[in-house]
Amino acid sequence: MHTFTEQLKTHTVAAWPLLILRMGTGVMFVIAGWGKVKRGAGFGDGMQGFLERQENMFDFYRGFVESVVIPNKLLFAYLVAYGELLAGIALVFGLFTRWAALALLFMVVNFWFAKGIGFWVPSNHDSLYILIALVLFFARTGETLGLDGWLARRN
């Protein structure tokens, strides 16, 4: 196993901003997911209220929300809460980073569809998370001070 100092010597400077992006995004999703997990079943009611207040929800998505998500709000609440928490933990530790980035991409695209905000609207933070998830997926960021790198070197 490489020490921290050895990893500093072997990785390019360009890898460090990606490490910060990966870990910062991971921490944010751990915090968001943990808050929802602590609310438990009550998060389902909150999620339903949020969805019902979305006046700009994309039309193609509204039918799915009304016929599938809201009737199964408890299931979807747990999927969102634990999805955010687990994907965030995976990003922090750099473990299964590409899978975690795909999970975040899937969740955030659904959040964006529910809000119905234009992609390039400056107040749409979902578009930033979509771009971050794509960068994390393609840049192999788990190999820089992450368990993905340790596993790759071990095998």
Side-chain angles (χ1 to χ4, degrees), residues 27-64:
V27 167
M28 292 187 71
F29 276 90
V30 166
I31 292 168
W34 182 245
K36 293 173 178 91
V37 167
K38 285 192 322 187
R39 287 179 59 195
F43 174 62
D45 293 332
M47 184 182 70
Q48 179 180 354
F50 167 80
L51 290 170
E52 289 173 344
R53 287 189 305 275
Q54 298 310 305
E55 296 174 3
N56 297 325
M57 186 181 299
F58 292 126
D59 290 334
F60 71 88
Y61 196 68
R62 186 173 303 282
F64 170 71

PDB file of all heavy atoms in Angstrom, residues 27-64:
ATOM      1  N   VAL A  27     -19.358  14.654   0.944  1.00  0.00           N
ATOM      2  CA  VAL A  27     -19.757  15.178   2.259  1.00  0.00           C
ATOM      3  C   VAL A  27     -21.132  15.834   2.183  1.00  0.00           C
ATOM      4  O   VAL A  27     -21.981  15.626   3.059  1.00  0.00           O
ATOM      5  CB  VAL A  27     -18.697  16.168   2.799  1.00  0.00           C
ATOM      6  CG1 VAL A  27     -19.221  16.954   3.993  1.00  0.00           C
ATOM      7  CG2 VAL A  27     -17.417  15.426   3.165  1.00  0.00           C
ATOM      8  N   MET A  28     -21.368  16.595   1.127  1.00  0.00           N
ATOM      9  CA  MET A  28     -22.674  17.258   1.001  1.00  0.00           C
ATOM     10  C   MET A  28     -23.813  16.240   0.910  1.00  0.00           C
ATOM     11  O   MET A  28     -24.871  16.423   1.518  1.00  0.00           O
ATOM     12  CB  MET A  28     -22.676  18.200  -0.192  1.00  0.00           C
ATOM     13  CG  MET A  28     -21.743  19.376   0.043  1.00  0.00           C
ATOM     14  SD  MET A  28     -21.831  20.633  -1.209  1.00  0.00           S
ATOM     15  CE  MET A  28     -23.417  21.334  -0.874  1.00  0.00           C
ATOM     16  N   PHE A  29     -23.587  15.156   0.172  1.00  0.00           N
ATOM     17  CA  PHE A  29     -24.651  14.157   0.050  1.00  0.00           C
ATOM     18  C   PHE A  29     -24.772  13.291   1.303  1.00  0.00           C
ATOM     19  O   PHE A  29     -25.860  12.822   1.619  1.00  0.00           O
ATOM     20  CB  PHE A  29     -24.471  13.321  -1.217  1.00  0.00           C
ATOM     21  CG  PHE A  29     -25.074  14.009  -2.415  1.00  0.00           C
ATOM     22  CD1 PHE A  29     -24.324  14.874  -3.188  1.00  0.00           C
ATOM     23  CD2 PHE A  29     -26.406  13.833  -2.736  1.00  0.00           C
ATOM     24  CE1 PHE A  29     -24.872  15.537  -4.267  1.00  0.00           C
ATOM     25  CE2 PHE A  29     -26.979  14.489  -3.810  1.00  0.00           C
ATOM     26  CZ  PHE A  29     -26.208  15.343  -4.579  1.00  0.00           C
ATOM     27  N   VAL A  30     -23.689  13.088   2.045  1.00  0.00           N
ATOM     28  CA  VAL A  30     -23.794  12.401   3.335  1.00  0.00           C
ATOM     29  C   VAL A  30     -24.663  13.228   4.276  1.00  0.00           C
ATOM     30  O   VAL A  30     -25.567  12.704   4.936  1.00  0.00           O
ATOM     31  CB  VAL A  30     -22.400  12.148   3.956  1.00  0.00           C
ATOM     32  CG1 VAL A  30     -22.512  11.768   5.428  1.00  0.00           C
ATOM     33  CG2 VAL A  30     -21.657  11.062   3.184  1.00  0.00           C
ATOM     34  N   ILE A  31     -24.405  14.527   4.327  1.00  0.00           N
ATOM     35  CA  ILE A  31     -25.187  15.409   5.202  1.00  0.00           C
ATOM     36  C   ILE A  31     -26.660  15.398   4.785  1.00  0.00           C
ATOM     37  O   ILE A  31     -27.558  15.266   5.629  1.00  0.00           O
ATOM     38  CB  ILE A  31     -24.606  16.833   5.192  1.00  0.00           C
ATOM     39  CG1 ILE A  31     -23.236  16.843   5.875  1.00  0.00           C
ATOM     40  CG2 ILE A  31     -25.563  17.824   5.859  1.00  0.00           C
ATOM     41  CD1 ILE A  31     -22.448  18.123   5.670  1.00  0.00           C
ATOM     42  N   ALA A  32     -26.917  15.534   3.481  1.00  0.00           N
ATOM     43  CA  ALA A  32     -28.311  15.545   2.996  1.00  0.00           C
ATOM     44  C   ALA A  32     -28.991  14.208   3.268  1.00  0.00           C
ATOM     45  O   ALA A  32     -30.131  14.169   3.752  1.00  0.00           O
ATOM     46  CB  ALA A  32     -28.340  15.865   1.505  1.00  0.00           C
ATOM     47  N   GLY A  33     -28.312  13.119   2.974  1.00  0.00           N
ATOM     48  CA  GLY A  33     -28.898  11.793   3.180  1.00  0.00           C
ATOM     49  C   GLY A  33     -29.127  11.485   4.646  1.00  0.00           C
ATOM     50  O   GLY A  33     -30.181  10.961   5.022  1.00  0.00           O
ATOM     51  N   TRP A  34     -28.152  11.820   5.490  1.00  0.00           N
ATOM     52  CA  TRP A  34     -28.287  11.541   6.918  1.00  0.00           C
ATOM     53  C   TRP A  34     -29.459  12.314   7.522  1.00  0.00           C
ATOM     54  O   TRP A  34     -30.200  11.777   8.342  1.00  0.00           O
ATOM     55  CB  TRP A  34     -26.989  11.852   7.654  1.00  0.00           C
ATOM     56  CG  TRP A  34     -27.071  11.538   9.113  1.00  0.00           C
ATOM     57  CD1 TRP A  34     -27.002  12.427  10.147  1.00  0.00           C
ATOM     58  CD2 TRP A  34     -27.288  10.254   9.704  1.00  0.00           C
ATOM     59  NE1 TRP A  34     -27.146  11.772  11.347  1.00  0.00           N
ATOM     60  CE2 TRP A  34     -27.329  10.435  11.107  1.00  0.00           C
ATOM     61  CE3 TRP A  34     -27.462   8.979   9.184  1.00  0.00           C
ATOM     62  CZ2 TRP A  34     -27.523   9.377  11.982  1.00  0.00           C
ATOM     63  CZ3 TRP A  34     -27.656   7.921  10.064  1.00  0.00           C
ATOM     64  CH2 TRP A  34     -27.690   8.123  11.439  1.00  0.00           C
ATOM     65  N   GLY A  35     -29.648  13.548   7.086  1.00  0.00           N
ATOM     66  CA  GLY A  35     -30.789  14.318   7.577  1.00  0.00           C
ATOM     67  C   GLY A  35     -32.113  13.646   7.241  1.00  0.00           C
ATOM     68  O   GLY A  35     -33.031  13.620   8.059  1.00  0.00           O
ATOM     69  N   LYS A  36     -32.184  13.080   6.052  1.00  0.00           N
ATOM     70  CA  LYS A  36     -33.411  12.387   5.639  1.00  0.00           C
ATOM     71  C   LYS A  36     -33.564  11.056   6.368  1.00  0.00           C
ATOM     72  O   LYS A  36     -34.667  10.675   6.762  1.00  0.00           O
ATOM     73  CB  LYS A  36     -33.402  12.178   4.125  1.00  0.00           C
ATOM     74  CG  LYS A  36     -33.502  13.480   3.343  1.00  0.00           C
ATOM     75  CD  LYS A  36     -33.318  13.232   1.854  1.00  0.00           C
ATOM     76  CE  LYS A  36     -33.458  14.512   1.062  1.00  0.00           C
ATOM     77  NZ  LYS A  36     -32.200  15.205   0.869  1.00  0.00           N
ATOM     78  N   VAL A  37     -32.470  10.334   6.554  1.00  0.00           N
ATOM     79  CA  VAL A  37     -32.529   9.056   7.277  1.00  0.00           C
ATOM     80  C   VAL A  37     -33.000   9.288   8.706  1.00  0.00           C
ATOM     81  O   VAL A  37     -33.826   8.524   9.230  1.00  0.00           O
ATOM     82  CB  VAL A  37     -31.147   8.354   7.252  1.00  0.00           C
ATOM     83  CG1 VAL A  37     -31.084   7.208   8.244  1.00  0.00           C
ATOM     84  CG2 VAL A  37     -30.824   7.857   5.846  1.00  0.00           C
ATOM     85  N   LYS A  38     -32.515  10.339   9.361  1.00  0.00           N
ATOM     86  CA  LYS A  38     -32.928  10.637  10.737  1.00  0.00           C
ATOM     87  C   LYS A  38     -34.417  10.944  10.824  1.00  0.00           C
ATOM     88  O   LYS A  38     -35.042  10.658  11.841  1.00  0.00           O
ATOM     89  CB  LYS A  38     -32.121  11.810  11.299  1.00  0.00           C
ATOM     90  CG  LYS A  38     -30.715  11.438  11.656  1.00  0.00           C
ATOM     91  CD  LYS A  38     -29.989  12.487  12.477  1.00  0.00           C
ATOM     92  CE  LYS A  38     -30.277  13.894  12.110  1.00  0.00           C
ATOM     93  NZ  LYS A  38     -29.451  14.881  12.814  1.00  0.00           N
ATOM     94  N   ARG A  39     -34.975  11.531   9.763  1.00  0.00           N
ATOM     95  CA  ARG A  39     -36.416  11.840   9.781  1.00  0.00           C
ATOM     96  C   ARG A  39     -37.258  10.585   9.614  1.00  0.00           C
ATOM     97  O   ARG A  39     -38.450  10.585   9.926  1.00  0.00           O
ATOM     98  CB  ARG A  39     -36.753  12.845   8.684  1.00  0.00           C
ATOM     99  CG  ARG A  39     -36.246  14.234   9.024  1.00  0.00           C
ATOM    100  CD  ARG A  39     -36.534  15.242   7.968  1.00  0.00           C
ATOM    101  NE  ARG A  39     -37.947  15.383   7.700  1.00  0.00           N
ATOM    102  CZ  ARG A  39     -38.423  15.991   6.617  1.00  0.00           C
ATOM    103  NH1 ARG A  39     -37.600  16.507   5.740  1.00  0.00           N
ATOM    104  NH2 ARG A  39     -39.715  16.093   6.431  1.00  0.00           N
ATOM    105  N   GLY A  40     -36.647   9.516   9.089  1.00  0.00           N
ATOM    106  CA  GLY A  40     -37.352   8.247   8.940  1.00  0.00           C
ATOM    107  C   GLY A  40     -38.559   8.368   8.037  1.00  0.00           C
ATOM    108  O   GLY A  40     -38.540   9.038   7.006  1.00  0.00           O
ATOM    109  N   ALA A  41     -39.647   7.721   8.456  1.00  0.00           N
ATOM    110  CA  ALA A  41     -40.862   7.694   7.647  1.00  0.00           C
ATOM    111  C   ALA A  41     -41.442   9.087   7.445  1.00  0.00           C
ATOM    112  O   ALA A  41     -42.129   9.336   6.459  1.00  0.00           O
ATOM    113  CB  ALA A  41     -41.899   6.787   8.295  1.00  0.00           C
ATOM    114  N   GLY A  42     -41.140  10.011   8.338  1.00  0.00           N
ATOM    115  CA  GLY A  42     -41.637  11.372   8.201  1.00  0.00           C
ATOM    116  C   GLY A  42     -41.117  12.063   6.958  1.00  0.00           C
ATOM    117  O   GLY A  42     -41.739  12.991   6.448  1.00  0.00           O
ATOM    118  N   PHE A  43     -39.976  11.604   6.446  1.00  0.00           N
ATOM    119  CA  PHE A  43     -39.444  12.198   5.229  1.00  0.00           C
ATOM    120  C   PHE A  43     -40.367  11.928   4.045  1.00  0.00           C
ATOM    121  O   PHE A  43     -40.466  12.744   3.137  1.00  0.00           O
ATOM    122  CB  PHE A  43     -38.025  11.692   4.935  1.00  0.00           C
ATOM    123  CG  PHE A  43     -37.496  12.170   3.613  1.00  0.00           C
ATOM    124  CD1 PHE A  43     -37.322  13.524   3.374  1.00  0.00           C
ATOM    125  CD2 PHE A  43     -37.210  11.278   2.597  1.00  0.00           C
ATOM    126  CE1 PHE A  43     -36.853  13.977   2.144  1.00  0.00           C
ATOM    127  CE2 PHE A  43     -36.747  11.719   1.372  1.00  0.00           C
ATOM    128  CZ  PHE A  43     -36.568  13.069   1.144  1.00  0.00           C
ATOM    129  N   GLY A  44     -41.089  10.820   4.058  1.00  0.00           N
ATOM    130  CA  GLY A  44     -42.030  10.508   2.973  1.00  0.00           C
ATOM    131  C   GLY A  44     -43.097  11.577   2.837  1.00  0.00           C
ATOM    132  O   GLY A  44     -43.431  12.014   1.726  1.00  0.00           O
ATOM    133  N   ASP A  45     -43.640  12.027   3.967  1.00  0.00           N
ATOM    134  CA  ASP A  45     -44.647  13.102   3.930  1.00  0.00           C
ATOM    135  C   ASP A  45     -44.035  14.403   3.436  1.00  0.00           C
ATOM    136  O   ASP A  45     -44.646  15.134   2.661  1.00  0.00           O
ATOM    137  CB  ASP A  45     -45.257  13.309   5.317  1.00  0.00           C
ATOM    138  CG  ASP A  45     -46.096  12.126   5.762  1.00  0.00           C
ATOM    139  OD1 ASP A  45     -46.650  11.413   4.882  1.00  0.00           O
ATOM    140  OD2 ASP A  45     -46.183  11.896   6.984  1.00  0.00           O
ATOM    141  N   GLY A  46     -42.830  14.692   3.886  1.00  0.00           N
ATOM    142  CA  GLY A  46     -42.142  15.898   3.430  1.00  0.00           C
ATOM    143  C   GLY A  46     -41.864  15.854   1.943  1.00  0.00           C
ATOM    144  O   GLY A  46     -42.011  16.854   1.237  1.00  0.00           O
ATOM    145  N   MET A  47     -41.455  14.686   1.454  1.00  0.00           N
ATOM    146  CA  MET A  47     -41.183  14.533   0.027  1.00  0.00           C
ATOM    147  C   MET A  47     -42.471  14.716  -0.782  1.00  0.00           C
ATOM    148  O   MET A  47     -42.468  15.389  -1.816  1.00  0.00           O
ATOM    149  CB  MET A  47     -40.584  13.149  -0.254  1.00  0.00           C
ATOM    150  CG  MET A  47     -40.174  12.941  -1.696  1.00  0.00           C
ATOM    151  SD  MET A  47     -39.542  11.283  -1.998  1.00  0.00           S
ATOM    152  CE  MET A  47     -41.034  10.320  -1.824  1.00  0.00           C
ATOM    153  N   GLN A  48     -43.569  14.140  -0.294  1.00  0.00           N
ATOM    154  CA  GLN A  48     -44.843  14.300  -0.987  1.00  0.00           C
ATOM    155  C   GLN A  48     -45.241  15.770  -1.044  1.00  0.00           C
ATOM    156  O   GLN A  48     -45.651  16.273  -2.096  1.00  0.00           O
ATOM    157  CB  GLN A  48     -45.945  13.497  -0.302  1.00  0.00           C
ATOM    158  CG  GLN A  48     -47.302  13.665  -0.976  1.00  0.00           C
ATOM    159  CD  GLN A  48     -48.404  12.864  -0.311  1.00  0.00           C
ATOM    160  OE1 GLN A  48     -48.167  12.077   0.596  1.00  0.00           O
ATOM    161  NE2 GLN A  48     -49.630  13.074  -0.778  1.00  0.00           N
ATOM    162  N   GLY A  49     -45.102  16.472   0.069  1.00  0.00           N
ATOM    163  CA  GLY A  49     -45.429  17.897   0.090  1.00  0.00           C
ATOM    164  C   GLY A  49     -44.570  18.679  -0.885  1.00  0.00           C
ATOM    165  O   GLY A  49     -45.067  19.550  -1.609  1.00  0.00           O
ATOM    166  N   PHE A  50     -43.277  18.372  -0.924  1.00  0.00           N
ATOM    167  CA  PHE A  50     -42.374  19.029  -1.866  1.00  0.00           C
ATOM    168  C   PHE A  50     -42.828  18.791  -3.296  1.00  0.00           C
ATOM    169  O   PHE A  50     -42.917  19.725  -4.102  1.00  0.00           O
ATOM    170  CB  PHE A  50     -40.942  18.509  -1.660  1.00  0.00           C
ATOM    171  CG  PHE A  50     -40.010  18.877  -2.772  1.00  0.00           C
ATOM    172  CD1 PHE A  50     -39.439  20.137  -2.826  1.00  0.00           C
ATOM    173  CD2 PHE A  50     -39.710  17.967  -3.775  1.00  0.00           C
ATOM    174  CE1 PHE A  50     -38.584  20.484  -3.866  1.00  0.00           C
ATOM    175  CE2 PHE A  50     -38.856  18.300  -4.810  1.00  0.00           C
ATOM    176  CZ  PHE A  50     -38.294  19.562  -4.859  1.00  0.00           C
ATOM    177  N   LEU A  51     -43.121  17.545  -3.627  1.00  0.00           N
ATOM    178  CA  LEU A  51     -43.518  17.205  -4.999  1.00  0.00           C
ATOM    179  C   LEU A  51     -44.836  17.873  -5.382  1.00  0.00           C
ATOM    180  O   LEU A  51     -45.002  18.330  -6.511  1.00  0.00           O
ATOM    181  CB  LEU A  51     -43.610  15.687  -5.170  1.00  0.00           C
ATOM    182  CG  LEU A  51     -42.281  14.949  -5.133  1.00  0.00           C
ATOM    183  CD1 LEU A  51     -42.508  13.443  -5.066  1.00  0.00           C
ATOM    184  CD2 LEU A  51     -41.408  15.318  -6.319  1.00  0.00           C
ATOM    185  N   GLU A  52     -45.772  17.934  -4.458  1.00  0.00           N
ATOM    186  CA  GLU A  52     -47.074  18.534  -4.752  1.00  0.00           C
ATOM    187  C   GLU A  52     -46.980  20.050  -4.933  1.00  0.00           C
ATOM    188  O   GLU A  52     -47.832  20.641  -5.577  1.00  0.00           O
ATOM    189  CB  GLU A  52     -48.082  18.172  -3.663  1.00  0.00           C
ATOM    190  CG  GLU A  52     -48.479  16.702  -3.724  1.00  0.00           C
ATOM    191  CD  GLU A  52     -49.348  16.261  -2.564  1.00  0.00           C
ATOM    192  OE1 GLU A  52     -49.422  16.981  -1.537  1.00  0.00           O
ATOM    193  OE2 GLU A  52     -49.943  15.169  -2.675  1.00  0.00           O
ATOM    194  N   ARG A  53     -45.951  20.684  -4.392  1.00  0.00           N
ATOM    195  CA  ARG A  53     -45.763  22.138  -4.538  1.00  0.00           C
ATOM    196  C   ARG A  53     -45.018  22.521  -5.816  1.00  0.00           C
ATOM    197  O   ARG A  53     -44.883  23.707  -6.110  1.00  0.00           O
ATOM    198  CB  ARG A  53     -44.991  22.693  -3.333  1.00  0.00           C
ATOM    199  CG  ARG A  53     -45.792  22.753  -2.059  1.00  0.00           C
ATOM    200  CD  ARG A  53     -45.056  23.519  -0.967  1.00  0.00           C
ATOM    201  NE  ARG A  53     -43.717  23.008  -0.694  1.00  0.00           N
ATOM    202  CZ  ARG A  53     -43.424  21.997   0.134  1.00  0.00           C
ATOM    203  NH1 ARG A  53     -44.389  21.381   0.762  1.00  0.00           N
ATOM    204  NH2 ARG A  53     -42.173  21.621   0.328  1.00  0.00           N
ATOM    205  N   GLN A  54     -44.534  21.566  -6.562  1.00  0.00           N
ATOM    206  CA  GLN A  54     -43.734  21.872  -7.748  1.00  0.00           C
ATOM    207  C   GLN A  54     -44.631  22.218  -8.934  1.00  0.00           C
ATOM    208  O   GLN A  54     -45.096  21.338  -9.653  1.00  0.00           O
ATOM    209  CB  GLN A  54     -42.810  20.693  -8.091  1.00  0.00           C
ATOM    210  CG  GLN A  54     -41.812  20.371  -7.016  1.00  0.00           C
ATOM    211  CD  GLN A  54     -41.049  21.589  -6.533  1.00  0.00           C
ATOM    212  OE1 GLN A  54     -40.438  22.307  -7.319  1.00  0.00           O
ATOM    213  NE2 GLN A  54     -41.085  21.830  -5.228  1.00  0.00           N
ATOM    214  N   GLU A  55     -44.870  23.507  -9.126  1.00  0.00           N
ATOM    215  CA  GLU A  55     -45.741  23.977 -10.205  1.00  0.00           C
ATOM    216  C   GLU A  55     -45.092  23.849 -11.571  1.00  0.00           C
ATOM    217  O   GLU A  55     -45.781  23.745 -12.574  1.00  0.00           O
ATOM    218  CB  GLU A  55     -46.130  25.436  -9.947  1.00  0.00           C
ATOM    219  CG  GLU A  55     -46.945  25.633  -8.691  1.00  0.00           C
ATOM    220  CD  GLU A  55     -47.189  27.105  -8.391  1.00  0.00           C
ATOM    221  OE1 GLU A  55     -46.760  27.962  -9.194  1.00  0.00           O
ATOM    222  OE2 GLU A  55     -47.805  27.381  -7.354  1.00  0.00           O
ATOM    223  N   ASN A  56     -43.772  23.867 -11.639  1.00  0.00           N
ATOM    224  CA  ASN A  56     -43.065  23.835 -12.919  1.00  0.00           C
ATOM    225  C   ASN A  56     -42.573  22.447 -13.310  1.00  0.00           C
ATOM    226  O   ASN A  56     -41.797  22.321 -14.251  1.00  0.00           O
ATOM    227  CB  ASN A  56     -41.862  24.788 -12.874  1.00  0.00           C
ATOM    228  CG  ASN A  56     -42.295  26.216 -12.679  1.00  0.00           C
ATOM    229  OD1 ASN A  56     -43.331  26.628 -13.184  1.00  0.00           O
ATOM    230  ND2 ASN A  56     -41.522  26.965 -11.927  1.00  0.00           N
ATOM    231  N   MET A  57     -42.999  21.420 -12.580  1.00  0.00           N
ATOM    232  CA  MET A  57     -42.538  20.066 -12.880  1.00  0.00           C
ATOM    233  C   MET A  57     -42.739  19.768 -14.362  1.00  0.00           C
ATOM    234  O   MET A  57     -43.764  20.129 -14.946  1.00  0.00           O
ATOM    235  CB  MET A  57     -43.322  19.045 -12.039  1.00  0.00           C
ATOM    236  CG  MET A  57     -42.832  17.616 -12.168  1.00  0.00           C
ATOM    237  SD  MET A  57     -43.795  16.434 -11.174  1.00  0.00           S
ATOM    238  CE  MET A  57     -43.527  17.026  -9.521  1.00  0.00           C
ATOM    239  N   PHE A  58     -41.727  19.144 -14.962  1.00  0.00           N
ATOM    240  CA  PHE A  58     -41.850  18.791 -16.379  1.00  0.00           C
ATOM    241  C   PHE A  58     -43.067  17.898 -16.580  1.00  0.00           C
ATOM    242  O   PHE A  58     -43.292  16.958 -15.810  1.00  0.00           O
ATOM    243  CB  PHE A  58     -40.585  18.103 -16.875  1.00  0.00           C
ATOM    244  CG  PHE A  58     -39.382  19.004 -16.932  1.00  0.00           C
ATOM    245  CD1 PHE A  58     -38.208  18.662 -16.307  1.00  0.00           C
ATOM    246  CD2 PHE A  58     -39.437  20.219 -17.625  1.00  0.00           C
ATOM    247  CE1 PHE A  58     -37.091  19.480 -16.366  1.00  0.00           C
ATOM    248  CE2 PHE A  58     -38.332  21.054 -17.685  1.00  0.00           C
ATOM    249  CZ  PHE A  58     -37.153  20.685 -17.053  1.00  0.00           C
ATOM    250  N   ASP A  59     -43.865  18.189 -17.608  1.00  0.00           N
ATOM    251  CA  ASP A  59     -45.110  17.458 -17.852  1.00  0.00           C
ATOM    252  C   ASP A  59     -44.888  15.954 -18.004  1.00  0.00           C
ATOM    253  O   ASP A  59     -45.664  15.156 -17.493  1.00  0.00           O
ATOM    254  CB  ASP A  59     -45.815  18.008 -19.097  1.00  0.00           C
ATOM    255  CG  ASP A  59     -46.375  19.399 -18.861  1.00  0.00           C
ATOM    256  OD1 ASP A  59     -46.664  19.744 -17.702  1.00  0.00           O
ATOM    257  OD2 ASP A  59     -46.520  20.145 -19.854  1.00  0.00           O
ATOM    258  N   PHE A  60     -43.822  15.568 -18.718  1.00  0.00           N
ATOM    259  CA  PHE A  60     -43.582  14.139 -18.935  1.00  0.00           C
ATOM    260  C   PHE A  60     -43.276  13.413 -17.616  1.00  0.00           C
ATOM    261  O   PHE A  60     -43.453  12.210 -17.523  1.00  0.00           O
ATOM    262  CB  PHE A  60     -42.424  13.919 -19.919  1.00  0.00           C
ATOM    263  CG  PHE A  60     -41.066  14.256 -19.380  1.00  0.00           C
ATOM    264  CD1 PHE A  60     -40.325  13.312 -18.689  1.00  0.00           C
ATOM    265  CD2 PHE A  60     -40.532  15.522 -19.562  1.00  0.00           C
ATOM    266  CE1 PHE A  60     -39.070  13.620 -18.187  1.00  0.00           C
ATOM    267  CE2 PHE A  60     -39.274  15.843 -19.073  1.00  0.00           C
ATOM    268  CZ  PHE A  60     -38.547  14.893 -18.378  1.00  0.00           C
ATOM    269  N   TYR A  61     -42.865  14.151 -16.611  1.00  0.00           N
ATOM    270  CA  TYR A  61     -42.481  13.551 -15.329  1.00  0.00           C
ATOM    271  C   TYR A  61     -43.639  13.540 -14.331  1.00  0.00           C
ATOM    272  O   TYR A  61     -43.690  12.690 -13.452  1.00  0.00           O
ATOM    273  CB  TYR A  61     -41.297  14.334 -14.763  1.00  0.00           C
ATOM    274  CG  TYR A  61     -40.547  13.641 -13.670  1.00  0.00           C
ATOM    275  CD1 TYR A  61     -39.801  12.498 -13.917  1.00  0.00           C
ATOM    276  CD2 TYR A  61     -40.566  14.136 -12.368  1.00  0.00           C
ATOM    277  CE1 TYR A  61     -39.101  11.863 -12.909  1.00  0.00           C
ATOM    278  CE2 TYR A  61     -39.866  13.509 -11.352  1.00  0.00           C
ATOM    279  CZ  TYR A  61     -39.141  12.375 -11.624  1.00  0.00           C
ATOM    280  OH  TYR A  61     -38.445  11.743 -10.629  1.00  0.00           O
ATOM    281  N   ARG A  62     -44.566  14.481 -14.487  1.00  0.00           N
ATOM    282  CA  ARG A  62     -45.676  14.620 -13.538  1.00  0.00           C
ATOM    283  C   ARG A  62     -46.506  13.338 -13.415  1.00  0.00           C
ATOM    284  O   ARG A  62     -46.845  12.909 -12.318  1.00  0.00           O
ATOM    285  CB  ARG A  62     -46.572  15.790 -13.922  1.00  0.00           C
ATOM    286  CG  ARG A  62     -47.667  16.072 -12.900  1.00  0.00           C
ATOM    287  CD  ARG A  62     -48.434  17.341 -13.210  1.00  0.00           C
ATOM    288  NE  ARG A  62     -47.604  18.521 -13.309  1.00  0.00           N
ATOM    289  CZ  ARG A  62     -47.119  19.195 -12.261  1.00  0.00           C
ATOM    290  NH1 ARG A  62     -47.377  18.780 -11.046  1.00  0.00           N
ATOM    291  NH2 ARG A  62     -46.385  20.273 -12.438  1.00  0.00           N
ATOM    292  N   GLY A  63     -46.789  12.682 -14.523  1.00  0.00           N
ATOM    293  CA  GLY A  63     -47.573  11.447 -14.474  1.00  0.00           C
ATOM    294  C   GLY A  63     -46.887  10.364 -13.665  1.00  0.00           C
ATOM    295  O   GLY A  63     -47.524   9.641 -12.890  1.00  0.00           O
ATOM    296  N   PHE A  64     -45.563  10.247 -13.833  1.00  0.00           N
ATOM    297  CA  PHE A  64     -44.787   9.268 -13.077  1.00  0.00           C
ATOM    298  C   PHE A  64     -44.848   9.580 -11.580  1.00  0.00           C
ATOM    299  O   PHE A  64     -45.067   8.691 -10.755  1.00  0.00           O
ATOM    300  CB  PHE A  64     -43.335   9.261 -13.569  1.00  0.00           C
ATOM    301  CG  PHE A  64     -42.400   8.468 -12.707  1.00  0.00           C
ATOM    302  CD1 PHE A  64     -42.462   7.081 -12.689  1.00  0.00           C
ATOM    303  CD2 PHE A  64     -41.454   9.106 -11.912  1.00  0.00           C
ATOM    304  CE1 PHE A  64     -41.602   6.340 -11.899  1.00  0.00           C
ATOM    305  CE2 PHE A  64     -40.590   8.378 -11.121  1.00  0.00           C
ATOM    306  CZ  PHE A  64     -40.663   6.995 -11.110  1.00  0.00           C
TER     307      PHE A  64
END
